[in-house]
Amino acid sequence: MRFHSPQKLKTIADLIGAKFVGAEDFEVLGTNEIHRVKAGEIVFVNHPKYYDKALNSEATIILIDKEVECPEGKALLVSDDPFRDFNKINTHFTRIYNFTEELHDVEIGEGSKIHSSAVLGNNIKIGKNVLIFPNVVIGDRTIIGDNVIIQSGTVLGGDAFYYRKLDGNFDRLISVGNVIIEDNVEIGNNCTIDRGVTDSTIIGAGSVLDNQIQIGHDTVIGKRCLIASQVGIAGCCIFEDEVTIWGQVGVASGFTIAKGTVLLAKTGVNRNLEKGTYFGMFAEDFKSYLKKEVKLRRLL
């Protein structure tokens, strides 16, 4: 999430009541989740296991629960609860509506048709010749390109599934990102595409999604991808262009799938994948899987 205008390190420290390490006027451009963070942005870390990853990431400002040696060219915000204070920063700079206030800043392009039962949030942009079927829900800050079809019951821009356990309960990391649907995308019935925690969940131009698909926060689906029904994709994944995913595939968070890859039905993905065709619980090369099956059957 980028701030509307650059902020100063001391301003952010005062907002959350944190100690800072760095110049008072050190520039802060926004916040982001570790998988998507860029220079000038804040990333949070609250466990020693992940200190090095955060300190050596693209982040320029690290919101951390212990004062450590600060890398050159970066700054620290030292907090007793970085998770809480990350939420505080994000909600200070991004207003949360949750469909509780009247619509405003909804832009709809020429030739677009939206069924009267659809529910729209705030700060939404819809391109030209878009067709939105009954009972679609479009959350705040969603951007939809031209010539898009969204069929009944689909939800764009729901909250990310991102929690920590605190005092025996689950505490949500508040989602202030959005969903971007590029041109010429078709989305089937009853799909759910969560908005980014602090960045964008993106469906690339020309991609087609079947019914009942779940796509997690901050995931990027490339151009001209084909996704069959009942696929579940966790957050922060990257699917390069022209990936084909067949029914009931499951993908764990944070992995990259190379351009042109095919995931056959019920494949489970637990690592980055180079281009190929995969099948099975642990995404085996399909030809290797078949050879193994032949050998096993010969043992019978």
Side-chain angles (χ1 to χ4, degrees), residues 14-57:
D14 289 346
L15 172 66
I16 61 176
K19 178 181 178 180
F20 64 90
V21 177
E24 288 189 4
D25 60 351
F26 194 96
E27 192 172 67
V28 186
L29 302 180
T31 68
N32 223 326
E33 207 258 345
I34 187 68
H35 294 86
R36 302 285 293 274
V37 72
K38 297 176 283 291
E41 296 176 338
I42 301 169
V43 71
F44 83 92
V45 60
N46 56 1
H47 194 289
K49 180 179 178 181
Y50 302 108
Y51 283 176
D52 286 344
K53 183 176 182 179
L55 292 165
N56 295 316
S57 71

Side-chain angles (χ1 to χ4, degrees), residues 2 9 27 30 33 37 39 72 126 133 147 156 158 173 178-179 221 233 244 260 268 277 292:
R2 288 277 168 147
L9 183 65
E27 192 172 67
E33 207 258 345
V37 72
E72 185 177 353
I126 297 173
F133 281 62
N147 307 311
L156 305 180
L173 189 64
N178 72 338
V179 170
I221 305 295
I233 299 172
T244 299
T277 300
K292 182 185 70 174

Side-chain angles (χ1 to χ4, degrees), residues 282-297:
F282 301 110
E284 299 177 65
D285 172 76
F286 187 49
K287 289 184 179 179
S288 299
Y289 174 87
L290 291 177
K291 289 178 181 178
K292 182 185 70 174
E293 285 296 304
V294 169
K295 290 178 181 179
L296 287 173
R297 289 173 186 272

